[in-house]
Amino acid sequence: MVRCYKALSNPPPSCYNLHKVKIHVRRLRSGNGGSSSCAWDQHPQLESPGPTGSAGGTPSRRTRFRLQFPQLALRRRLGQLSCMSRPALKLRSWPLTILYYLLPFGALKPLTRVGWRPMSRVALYKSVPTRLLSRAWGRLNQVELPTWLRKPVYSLYIWTFGVNMKEAAVEDLHHYRNLSEFFRRKLKPQARPVCGVHSVISPSDGKILNFGQVKNCEVEQVKGVTYSLESFLGPRVSTEELHFSQAPPGNSFQQQLVTKEGNELYHCVIYLAPGDYHCFHSPTDWTVSHRRHFPGSLMSVNPGVARWIKELFCHNERVVLTGDWKHGFFSLTAVGATNVGSIRIYFDQDLHTNSPSYSKGSYNDFSFISNNNKEGIPMRKGEHLGEFNLGSTIVLIFEAPKDFKFNLKAGQKIRFGEALGSL
């Protein structure tokens, strides 16, 4: 039994705090593992504080420091975070986490010694309200700029991202009323000749992040970082909506997509930078049978972030167009990104992206065959297909014979109309 009545009978108000003494007693009990009386025997100065600094006098300088050290109160405060709901916990942890990563010389590292753990950089980035920021950016893009302000604003953007305005159909900067019109500018017809020899062309300007065969139902978003093919495309579309016959049953999602014996599944990832041409076109002659819209996050798809976050393309909002071409299955996926919440498909007026609310993991399907008794949407190679508002990513996943070869190098710049590969 702890005898502390002497110490608490008439404590000096400037030296003692009953709550802190109780916390200190708990620390001694857990630290020694024995009885509480043994713990007090090791600190006799706590039993009878008096006017002097000896036994029976005031607590020693070391004891007062241990009683009043702010770690005790900080432990209690940080301990309360574990009782909060997850949104409240993120909100309360944000300021400290941001300071932890920004302040030099590990200024907040002592906090980790009293039980606080910072959010990981990935978790911190995922908690940023990118959808809200993207909608705000979209509203800002629609604001009409005064005529005198257009040239300075657009010139700054051209200088920052290296835009080539000589290729634009309208080179006069005063023609574009707002940023949205400038981002979606059209090109001169002769600026992007479409290659007629090769079977698959680049649907947009951009940078080749990765390409090759799909293996083990995994697709590389950048070298060494993969994502699940089924998570990216969603459940397989019914063959009733496609023009080719039912594929033989396979053991994997990848095998179910391959419809012809001897064919393989290929992929190509093209990253559109903010300075690139923002429209995308049909990469080959094919028929679009189905559209699937995945609401989701709007994190940056910059190659640096893609190396950082696994399955980034599966987290982000995206529009998957599936159909068939002469060799079987074909799909084109437009992946949204920060400030690119608006993905537009020209022939799909029912598509609305970046809505204020959505259910995580949900998706919306629309068939171009079953609705209005259509035959699907035939697309010619090089035909206008859709557009982004800033910069994003196009992912092609298609079936082709084994002798299909890509004419690419990872990391190379490519323009719309140039060849991706051929048989």
mmCIF file of all heavy atoms in Angstrom, residues 350-395:
data_model
loop_
_atom_site.group_PDB
_atom_site.id
_atom_site.type_symbol
_atom_site.label_atom_id
_atom_site.label_comp_id
_atom_site.label_asym_id
_atom_site.label_seq_id
_atom_site.Cartn_x
_atom_site.Cartn_y
_atom_site.Cartn_z
ATOM 1 N N ASP A 350 -23.758 11.322 -71.532
ATOM 2 C CA ASP A 350 -24.235 10.951 -70.197
ATOM 3 C C ASP A 350 -23.110 10.846 -69.172
ATOM 4 O O ASP A 350 -23.379 10.633 -67.990
ATOM 5 C CB ASP A 350 -24.981 9.612 -70.254
ATOM 6 C CG ASP A 350 -26.232 9.694 -71.114
ATOM 7 O OD1 ASP A 350 -26.884 10.760 -71.093
ATOM 8 O OD2 ASP A 350 -26.545 8.706 -71.809
ATOM 9 N N LEU A 351 -21.883 10.959 -69.617
ATOM 10 C CA LEU A 351 -20.751 10.817 -68.704
ATOM 11 C C LEU A 351 -20.518 12.110 -67.933
ATOM 12 O O LEU A 351 -20.354 13.180 -68.522
ATOM 13 C CB LEU A 351 -19.490 10.442 -69.491
ATOM 14 C CG LEU A 351 -18.187 10.354 -68.688
ATOM 15 C CD1 LEU A 351 -18.259 9.238 -67.656
ATOM 16 C CD2 LEU A 351 -16.995 10.144 -69.634
ATOM 17 N N HIS A 352 -20.474 12.015 -66.586
ATOM 18 C CA HIS A 352 -20.183 13.161 -65.719
ATOM 19 C C HIS A 352 -19.149 12.723 -64.694
ATOM 20 O O HIS A 352 -19.420 11.829 -63.871
ATOM 21 C CB HIS A 352 -21.449 13.653 -65.015
ATOM 22 C CG HIS A 352 -22.542 14.074 -65.957
ATOM 23 N ND1 HIS A 352 -22.501 15.266 -66.657
ATOM 24 C CD2 HIS A 352 -23.694 13.450 -66.320
ATOM 25 C CE1 HIS A 352 -23.585 15.368 -67.411
ATOM 26 N NE2 HIS A 352 -24.329 14.283 -67.219
ATOM 27 N N THR A 353 -17.975 13.329 -64.752
ATOM 28 C CA THR A 353 -16.884 12.941 -63.855
ATOM 29 C C THR A 353 -16.702 13.962 -62.740
ATOM 30 O O THR A 353 -17.199 15.079 -62.802
ATOM 31 C CB THR A 353 -15.576 12.807 -64.648
ATOM 32 O OG1 THR A 353 -15.296 14.055 -65.300
ATOM 33 C CG2 THR A 353 -15.692 11.721 -65.699
ATOM 34 N N ASN A 354 -15.953 13.530 -61.706
ATOM 35 C CA ASN A 354 -15.630 14.356 -60.535
ATOM 36 C C ASN A 354 -16.893 14.913 -59.874
ATOM 37 O O ASN A 354 -17.000 16.109 -59.604
ATOM 38 C CB ASN A 354 -14.676 15.494 -60.906
ATOM 39 C CG ASN A 354 -14.015 16.120 -59.676
ATOM 40 O OD1 ASN A 354 -14.081 15.565 -58.579
ATOM 41 N ND2 ASN A 354 -13.391 17.273 -59.855
ATOM 42 N N SER A 355 -17.845 14.051 -59.596
ATOM 43 C CA SER A 355 -19.041 14.461 -58.860
ATOM 44 C C SER A 355 -18.684 14.652 -57.394
ATOM 45 O O SER A 355 -17.731 14.051 -56.889
ATOM 46 C CB SER A 355 -20.139 13.405 -59.000
ATOM 47 O OG SER A 355 -19.680 12.146 -58.545
ATOM 48 N N PRO A 356 -19.442 15.497 -56.658
ATOM 49 C CA PRO A 356 -19.081 15.800 -55.269
ATOM 50 C C PRO A 356 -19.047 14.586 -54.347
ATOM 51 O O PRO A 356 -18.264 14.540 -53.414
ATOM 52 C CB PRO A 356 -20.169 16.794 -54.840
ATOM 53 C CG PRO A 356 -20.656 17.400 -56.117
ATOM 54 C CD PRO A 356 -20.558 16.324 -57.142
ATOM 55 N N SER A 357 -19.914 13.604 -54.571
ATOM 56 C CA SER A 357 -19.952 12.435 -53.684
ATOM 57 C C SER A 357 -19.932 11.161 -54.514
ATOM 58 O O SER A 357 -20.457 11.118 -55.634
ATOM 59 C CB SER A 357 -21.203 12.463 -52.815
ATOM 60 O OG SER A 357 -22.370 12.433 -53.608
ATOM 61 N N TYR A 358 -19.319 10.119 -53.960
ATOM 62 C CA TYR A 358 -19.258 8.832 -54.627
ATOM 63 C C TYR A 358 -18.968 7.762 -53.585
ATOM 64 O O TYR A 358 -18.502 8.060 -52.475
ATOM 65 C CB TYR A 358 -18.179 8.815 -55.702
ATOM 66 C CG TYR A 358 -16.759 8.793 -55.166
ATOM 67 C CD1 TYR A 358 -16.040 7.611 -55.080
ATOM 68 C CD2 TYR A 358 -16.131 9.965 -54.729
ATOM 69 C CE1 TYR A 358 -14.753 7.584 -54.583
ATOM 70 C CE2 TYR A 358 -14.850 9.952 -54.232
ATOM 71 C CZ TYR A 358 -14.156 8.754 -54.159
ATOM 72 O OH TYR A 358 -12.892 8.733 -53.664
ATOM 73 N N SER A 359 -19.246 6.524 -53.922
ATOM 74 C CA SER A 359 -18.960 5.392 -53.046
ATOM 75 C C SER A 359 -17.639 4.768 -53.476
ATOM 76 O O SER A 359 -17.453 4.448 -54.658
ATOM 77 C CB SER A 359 -20.085 4.345 -53.126
ATOM 78 O OG SER A 359 -21.309 4.897 -52.705
ATOM 79 N N LYS A 360 -16.750 4.593 -52.522
ATOM 80 C CA LYS A 360 -15.432 4.045 -52.829
ATOM 81 C C LYS A 360 -15.574 2.631 -53.387
ATOM 82 O O LYS A 360 -16.269 1.792 -52.834
ATOM 83 C CB LYS A 360 -14.564 4.034 -51.572
ATOM 84 C CG LYS A 360 -13.120 3.630 -51.825
ATOM 85 C CD LYS A 360 -12.295 3.737 -50.565
ATOM 86 C CE LYS A 360 -10.845 3.369 -50.821
ATOM 87 N NZ LYS A 360 -10.025 3.472 -49.593
ATOM 88 N N GLY A 361 -14.899 2.368 -54.501
ATOM 89 C CA GLY A 361 -14.941 1.057 -55.119
ATOM 90 C C GLY A 361 -16.106 0.845 -56.062
ATOM 91 O O GLY A 361 -16.209 -0.217 -56.686
ATOM 92 N N SER A 362 -16.993 1.829 -56.194
ATOM 93 C CA SER A 362 -18.146 1.690 -57.083
ATOM 94 C C SER A 362 -17.763 2.046 -58.512
ATOM 95 O O SER A 362 -16.716 2.648 -58.770
ATOM 96 C CB SER A 362 -19.294 2.584 -56.608
ATOM 97 O OG SER A 362 -18.921 3.953 -56.694
ATOM 98 N N TYR A 363 -18.618 1.688 -59.460
ATOM 99 C CA TYR A 363 -18.424 2.063 -60.849
ATOM 100 C C TYR A 363 -19.778 2.098 -61.539
ATOM 101 O O TYR A 363 -20.758 1.500 -61.076
ATOM 102 C CB TYR A 363 -17.457 1.110 -61.565
ATOM 103 C CG TYR A 363 -17.860 -0.340 -61.547
ATOM 104 C CD1 TYR A 363 -18.744 -0.859 -62.498
ATOM 105 C CD2 TYR A 363 -17.359 -1.210 -60.576
ATOM 106 C CE1 TYR A 363 -19.124 -2.179 -62.482
ATOM 107 C CE2 TYR A 363 -17.728 -2.533 -60.550
ATOM 108 C CZ TYR A 363 -18.607 -3.024 -61.505
ATOM 109 O OH TYR A 363 -18.975 -4.338 -61.482
ATOM 110 N N ASN A 364 -19.825 2.833 -62.660
ATOM 111 C CA ASN A 364 -21.051 2.980 -63.430
ATOM 112 C C ASN A 364 -20.827 2.441 -64.837
ATOM 113 O O ASN A 364 -19.864 2.816 -65.508
ATOM 114 C CB ASN A 364 -21.474 4.460 -63.507
ATOM 115 C CG ASN A 364 -21.608 5.090 -62.134
ATOM 116 O OD1 ASN A 364 -22.243 4.532 -61.258
ATOM 117 N ND2 ASN A 364 -20.987 6.251 -61.947
ATOM 118 N N ASP A 365 -21.703 1.563 -65.278
ATOM 119 C CA ASP A 365 -21.597 0.947 -66.593
ATOM 120 C C ASP A 365 -22.601 1.546 -67.568
ATOM 121 O O ASP A 365 -23.713 1.943 -67.170
ATOM 122 C CB ASP A 365 -21.854 -0.562 -66.502
ATOM 123 C CG ASP A 365 -20.653 -1.310 -65.938
ATOM 124 O OD1 ASP A 365 -19.515 -0.815 -66.081
ATOM 125 O OD2 ASP A 365 -20.851 -2.380 -65.356
ATOM 126 N N PHE A 366 -22.204 1.599 -68.818
ATOM 127 C CA PHE A 366 -23.115 2.022 -69.879
ATOM 128 C C PHE A 366 -22.766 1.247 -71.144
ATOM 129 O O PHE A 366 -21.604 1.218 -71.562
ATOM 130 C CB PHE A 366 -23.012 3.524 -70.147
ATOM 131 C CG PHE A 366 -24.008 4.036 -71.150
ATOM 132 C CD1 PHE A 366 -25.278 4.417 -70.753
ATOM 133 C CD2 PHE A 366 -23.679 4.126 -72.501
ATOM 134 C CE1 PHE A 366 -26.201 4.889 -71.674
ATOM 135 C CE2 PHE A 366 -24.593 4.589 -73.422
ATOM 136 C CZ PHE A 366 -25.869 4.969 -73.007
ATOM 137 N N SER A 367 -23.754 0.603 -71.736
ATOM 138 C CA SER A 367 -23.541 -0.191 -72.947
ATOM 139 C C SER A 367 -23.993 0.592 -74.168
ATOM 140 O O SER A 367 -25.107 1.120 -74.199
ATOM 141 C CB SER A 367 -24.310 -1.513 -72.845
ATOM 142 O OG SER A 367 -24.252 -2.203 -74.078
ATOM 143 N N PHE A 368 -23.136 0.649 -75.165
ATOM 144 C CA PHE A 368 -23.485 1.313 -76.421
ATOM 145 C C PHE A 368 -24.172 0.357 -77.389
ATOM 146 O O PHE A 368 -24.535 0.761 -78.489
ATOM 147 C CB PHE A 368 -22.231 1.901 -77.073
ATOM 148 C CG PHE A 368 -21.577 2.967 -76.246
ATOM 149 C CD1 PHE A 368 -20.363 2.721 -75.619
ATOM 150 C CD2 PHE A 368 -22.170 4.203 -76.081
ATOM 151 C CE1 PHE A 368 -19.748 3.700 -74.854
ATOM 152 C CE2 PHE A 368 -21.563 5.186 -75.312
ATOM 153 C CZ PHE A 368 -20.354 4.933 -74.696
ATOM 154 N N ILE A 369 -24.338 -0.909 -76.988
ATOM 155 C CA ILE A 369 -25.020 -1.891 -77.828
ATOM 156 C C ILE A 369 -26.455 -2.118 -77.352
ATOM 157 O O ILE A 369 -27.402 -2.056 -78.123
ATOM 158 C CB ILE A 369 -24.242 -3.217 -77.846
ATOM 159 C CG1 ILE A 369 -22.920 -3.029 -78.590
ATOM 160 C CG2 ILE A 369 -25.054 -4.319 -78.505
ATOM 161 C CD1 ILE A 369 -22.082 -4.279 -78.663
ATOM 162 N N SER A 370 -26.622 -2.371 -76.062
ATOM 163 C CA SER A 370 -27.954 -2.679 -75.549
ATOM 164 C C SER A 370 -28.848 -1.447 -75.473
ATOM 165 O O SER A 370 -30.072 -1.565 -75.532
ATOM 166 C CB SER A 370 -27.831 -3.326 -74.164
ATOM 167 O OG SER A 370 -27.171 -2.454 -73.259
ATOM 168 N N ASN A 371 -28.259 -0.259 -75.336
ATOM 169 C CA ASN A 371 -29.064 0.955 -75.272
ATOM 170 C C ASN A 371 -29.385 1.444 -76.690
ATOM 171 O O ASN A 371 -28.485 1.600 -77.529
ATOM 172 C CB ASN A 371 -28.321 2.064 -74.509
ATOM 173 C CG ASN A 371 -28.256 1.770 -73.023
ATOM 174 O OD1 ASN A 371 -29.165 2.097 -72.274
ATOM 175 N ND2 ASN A 371 -27.161 1.126 -72.599
ATOM 176 N N ASN A 372 -30.654 1.676 -76.927
ATOM 177 C CA ASN A 372 -31.151 2.203 -78.212
ATOM 178 C C ASN A 372 -30.823 1.296 -79.395
ATOM 179 O O ASN A 372 -30.777 1.752 -80.538
ATOM 180 C CB ASN A 372 -30.564 3.608 -78.465
ATOM 181 C CG ASN A 372 -30.957 4.592 -77.374
ATOM 182 O OD1 ASN A 372 -32.064 4.512 -76.823
ATOM 183 N ND2 ASN A 372 -30.054 5.507 -77.059
ATOM 184 N N ASN A 373 -30.583 0.011 -79.109
ATOM 185 C CA ASN A 373 -30.357 -0.978 -80.179
ATOM 186 C C ASN A 373 -29.233 -0.557 -81.129
ATOM 187 O O ASN A 373 -29.331 -0.707 -82.341
ATOM 188 C CB ASN A 373 -31.644 -1.213 -80.982
ATOM 189 C CG ASN A 373 -32.736 -1.819 -80.127
ATOM 190 O OD1 ASN A 373 -32.458 -2.688 -79.313
ATOM 191 N ND2 ASN A 373 -33.960 -1.352 -80.309
ATOM 192 N N LYS A 374 -28.174 -0.031 -80.570
ATOM 193 C CA LYS A 374 -27.058 0.419 -81.395
ATOM 194 C C LYS A 374 -26.107 -0.732 -81.678
ATOM 195 O O LYS A 374 -26.134 -1.780 -81.039
ATOM 196 C CB LYS A 374 -26.312 1.563 -80.698
ATOM 197 C CG LYS A 374 -27.140 2.841 -80.593
ATOM 198 C CD LYS A 374 -26.303 3.946 -79.957
ATOM 199 C CE LYS A 374 -27.081 5.245 -79.879
ATOM 200 N NZ LYS A 374 -26.296 6.330 -79.261
ATOM 201 N N GLU A 375 -25.237 -0.521 -82.632
ATOM 202 C CA GLU A 375 -24.225 -1.506 -82.992
ATOM 203 C C GLU A 375 -22.877 -1.176 -82.364
ATOM 204 O O GLU A 375 -21.864 -1.739 -82.762
ATOM 205 C CB GLU A 375 -24.070 -1.547 -84.525
ATOM 206 C CG GLU A 375 -25.286 -2.052 -85.256
ATOM 207 C CD GLU A 375 -25.552 -3.522 -84.960
ATOM 208 O OE1 GLU A 375 -24.570 -4.257 -84.719
ATOM 209 O OE2 GLU A 375 -26.720 -3.929 -84.980
ATOM 210 N N GLY A 376 -22.865 -0.305 -81.404
ATOM 211 C CA GLY A 376 -21.613 0.176 -80.868
ATOM 212 C C GLY A 376 -21.189 1.460 -81.570
ATOM 213 O O GLY A 376 -21.855 1.934 -82.490
ATOM 214 N N ILE A 377 -20.077 2.018 -81.127
ATOM 215 C CA ILE A 377 -19.571 3.270 -81.699
ATOM 216 C C ILE A 377 -18.336 2.951 -82.533
ATOM 217 O O ILE A 377 -17.263 2.677 -81.990
ATOM 218 C CB ILE A 377 -19.228 4.290 -80.591
ATOM 219 C CG1 ILE A 377 -20.394 4.475 -79.629
ATOM 220 C CG2 ILE A 377 -18.804 5.614 -81.209
ATOM 221 C CD1 ILE A 377 -21.629 5.069 -80.256
ATOM 222 N N PRO A 378 -18.451 2.977 -83.859
ATOM 223 C CA PRO A 378 -17.259 2.714 -84.683
ATOM 224 C C PRO A 378 -16.314 3.921 -84.658
ATOM 225 O O PRO A 378 -16.737 5.062 -84.804
ATOM 226 C CB PRO A 378 -17.845 2.492 -86.082
ATOM 227 C CG PRO A 378 -19.139 3.237 -86.078
ATOM 228 C CD PRO A 378 -19.661 3.191 -84.671
ATOM 229 N N MET A 379 -15.039 3.657 -84.458
ATOM 230 C CA MET A 379 -14.025 4.706 -84.412
ATOM 231 C C MET A 379 -12.955 4.412 -85.460
ATOM 232 O O MET A 379 -12.470 3.283 -85.576
ATOM 233 C CB MET A 379 -13.375 4.774 -83.025
ATOM 234 C CG MET A 379 -14.327 5.111 -81.887
ATOM 235 S SD MET A 379 -15.057 6.754 -82.015
ATOM 236 C CE MET A 379 -13.596 7.784 -81.974
ATOM 237 N N ARG A 380 -12.622 5.443 -86.219
ATOM 238 C CA ARG A 380 -11.552 5.333 -87.200
ATOM 239 C C ARG A 380 -10.233 5.788 -86.577
ATOM 240 O O ARG A 380 -10.211 6.611 -85.675
ATOM 241 C CB ARG A 380 -11.873 6.196 -88.424
ATOM 242 C CG ARG A 380 -13.225 5.916 -89.071
ATOM 243 C CD ARG A 380 -13.319 4.515 -89.623
ATOM 244 N NE ARG A 380 -12.339 4.276 -90.675
ATOM 245 C CZ ARG A 380 -12.134 3.088 -91.254
ATOM 246 N NH1 ARG A 380 -12.831 2.034 -90.845
ATOM 247 N NH2 ARG A 380 -11.233 2.954 -92.208
ATOM 248 N N LYS A 381 -9.145 5.248 -87.087
ATOM 249 C CA LYS A 381 -7.824 5.613 -86.565
ATOM 250 C C LYS A 381 -7.587 7.121 -86.713
ATOM 251 O O LYS A 381 -7.752 7.682 -87.804
ATOM 252 C CB LYS A 381 -6.745 4.848 -87.316
ATOM 253 C CG LYS A 381 -5.347 5.022 -86.730
ATOM 254 C CD LYS A 381 -4.235 4.579 -87.656
ATOM 255 C CE LYS A 381 -4.399 3.220 -88.212
ATOM 256 N NZ LYS A 381 -3.229 2.789 -89.017
ATOM 257 N N GLY A 382 -7.236 7.782 -85.605
ATOM 258 C CA GLY A 382 -6.964 9.215 -85.609
ATOM 259 C C GLY A 382 -8.179 10.079 -85.358
ATOM 260 O O GLY A 382 -8.038 11.306 -85.219
ATOM 261 N N GLU A 383 -9.376 9.496 -85.262
ATOM 262 C CA GLU A 383 -10.589 10.278 -85.046
ATOM 263 C C GLU A 383 -10.618 10.841 -83.629
ATOM 264 O O GLU A 383 -10.169 10.199 -82.679
ATOM 265 C CB GLU A 383 -11.808 9.396 -85.295
ATOM 266 C CG GLU A 383 -13.135 10.127 -85.260
ATOM 267 C CD GLU A 383 -14.302 9.198 -85.574
ATOM 268 O OE1 GLU A 383 -14.041 8.041 -85.984
ATOM 269 O OE2 GLU A 383 -15.458 9.617 -85.409
ATOM 270 N N HIS A 384 -11.177 12.061 -83.461
ATOM 271 C CA HIS A 384 -11.276 12.678 -82.142
ATOM 272 C C HIS A 384 -12.110 11.808 -81.214
ATOM 273 O O HIS A 384 -13.204 11.368 -81.569
ATOM 274 C CB HIS A 384 -11.910 14.068 -82.243
ATOM 275 C CG HIS A 384 -10.969 15.124 -82.736
ATOM 276 N ND1 HIS A 384 -10.147 15.840 -81.899
ATOM 277 C CD2 HIS A 384 -10.698 15.568 -83.986
ATOM 278 C CE1 HIS A 384 -9.427 16.697 -82.599
ATOM 279 N NE2 HIS A 384 -9.741 16.557 -83.871
ATOM 280 N N LEU A 385 -11.579 11.570 -80.002
ATOM 281 C CA LEU A 385 -12.258 10.701 -79.047
ATOM 282 C C LEU A 385 -12.651 11.427 -77.766
ATOM 283 O O LEU A 385 -13.761 11.253 -77.259
ATOM 284 C CB LEU A 385 -11.347 9.509 -78.717
ATOM 285 C CG LEU A 385 -11.902 8.414 -77.819
ATOM 286 C CD1 LEU A 385 -13.191 7.842 -78.389
ATOM 287 C CD2 LEU A 385 -10.866 7.301 -77.645
ATOM 288 N N GLY A 386 -11.757 12.236 -77.204
ATOM 289 C CA GLY A 386 -12.076 12.935 -75.962
ATOM 290 C C GLY A 386 -10.989 13.926 -75.604
ATOM 291 O O GLY A 386 -10.082 14.211 -76.398
ATOM 292 N N GLU A 387 -11.062 14.441 -74.359
ATOM 293 C CA GLU A 387 -10.093 15.454 -73.924
ATOM 294 C C GLU A 387 -10.001 15.490 -72.404
ATOM 295 O O GLU A 387 -10.918 15.085 -71.684
ATOM 296 C CB GLU A 387 -10.507 16.838 -74.438
ATOM 297 C CG GLU A 387 -11.838 17.310 -73.902
ATOM 298 C CD GLU A 387 -12.296 18.612 -74.537
ATOM 299 O OE1 GLU A 387 -11.934 18.868 -75.714
ATOM 300 O OE2 GLU A 387 -13.020 19.374 -73.872
ATOM 301 N N PHE A 388 -8.850 15.968 -71.922
ATOM 302 C CA PHE A 388 -8.613 16.265 -70.513
ATOM 303 C C PHE A 388 -8.605 17.781 -70.339
ATOM 304 O O PHE A 388 -8.594 18.534 -71.308
ATOM 305 C CB PHE A 388 -7.264 15.704 -70.048
ATOM 306 C CG PHE A 388 -7.180 14.198 -70.057
ATOM 307 C CD1 PHE A 388 -6.361 13.549 -70.969
ATOM 308 C CD2 PHE A 388 -7.900 13.451 -69.152
ATOM 309 C CE1 PHE A 388 -6.263 12.170 -70.969
ATOM 310 C CE2 PHE A 388 -7.812 12.061 -69.142
ATOM 311 C CZ PHE A 388 -6.990 11.430 -70.060
ATOM 312 N N ASN A 389 -8.537 18.195 -69.070
ATOM 313 C CA ASN A 389 -8.461 19.628 -68.796
ATOM 314 C C ASN A 389 -7.054 20.106 -68.484
ATOM 315 O O ASN A 389 -6.805 21.296 -68.511
ATOM 316 C CB ASN A 389 -9.384 20.001 -67.632
ATOM 317 C CG ASN A 389 -10.698 20.578 -68.116
ATOM 318 O OD1 ASN A 389 -10.827 20.936 -69.275
ATOM 319 N ND2 ASN A 389 -11.669 20.664 -67.235
ATOM 320 N N LEU A 390 -6.140 19.222 -68.139
ATOM 321 C CA LEU A 390 -4.774 19.686 -67.851
ATOM 322 C C LEU A 390 -3.765 18.671 -68.349
ATOM 323 O O LEU A 390 -3.234 18.792 -69.431
ATOM 324 C CB LEU A 390 -4.599 19.963 -66.357
ATOM 325 C CG LEU A 390 -3.300 20.680 -65.964
ATOM 326 C CD1 LEU A 390 -3.202 22.016 -66.686
ATOM 327 C CD2 LEU A 390 -3.233 20.907 -64.459
ATOM 328 N N GLY A 391 -3.492 17.628 -67.593
ATOM 329 C CA GLY A 391 -2.579 16.575 -68.015
ATOM 330 C C GLY A 391 -2.964 15.303 -67.292
ATOM 331 O O GLY A 391 -3.490 15.358 -66.200
ATOM 332 N N SER A 392 -2.745 14.170 -67.885
ATOM 333 C CA SER A 392 -3.172 12.938 -67.248
ATOM 334 C C SER A 392 -2.483 11.757 -67.902
ATOM 335 O O SER A 392 -1.352 11.875 -68.360
ATOM 336 C CB SER A 392 -4.693 12.801 -67.312
ATOM 337 O OG SER A 392 -5.123 11.778 -66.433
ATOM 338 N N THR A 393 -3.190 10.612 -67.982
ATOM 339 C CA THR A 393 -2.592 9.381 -68.490
ATOM 340 C C THR A 393 -3.596 8.621 -69.345
ATOM 341 O O THR A 393 -4.775 8.560 -69.013
ATOM 342 C CB THR A 393 -2.118 8.500 -67.317
ATOM 343 O OG1 THR A 393 -1.126 9.197 -66.570
ATOM 344 C CG2 THR A 393 -1.515 7.201 -67.827
ATOM 345 N N ILE A 394 -3.101 8.026 -70.439
ATOM 346 C CA ILE A 394 -3.874 7.116 -71.278
ATOM 347 C C ILE A 394 -3.254 5.723 -71.150
ATOM 348 O O ILE A 394 -2.035 5.563 -71.272
ATOM 349 C CB ILE A 394 -3.851 7.550 -72.754
ATOM 350 C CG1 ILE A 394 -4.549 8.906 -72.938
ATOM 351 C CG2 ILE A 394 -4.508 6.491 -73.632
ATOM 352 C CD1 ILE A 394 -6.041 8.860 -72.805
ATOM 353 N N VAL A 395 -4.086 4.722 -70.874
ATOM 354 C CA VAL A 395 -3.624 3.336 -70.773
ATOM 355 C C VAL A 395 -4.337 2.509 -71.836
ATOM 356 O O VAL A 395 -5.569 2.436 -71.846
ATOM 357 C CB VAL A 395 -3.894 2.748 -69.369
ATOM 358 C CG1 VAL A 395 -3.398 1.300 -69.303
ATOM 359 C CG2 VAL A 395 -3.219 3.584 -68.291
#
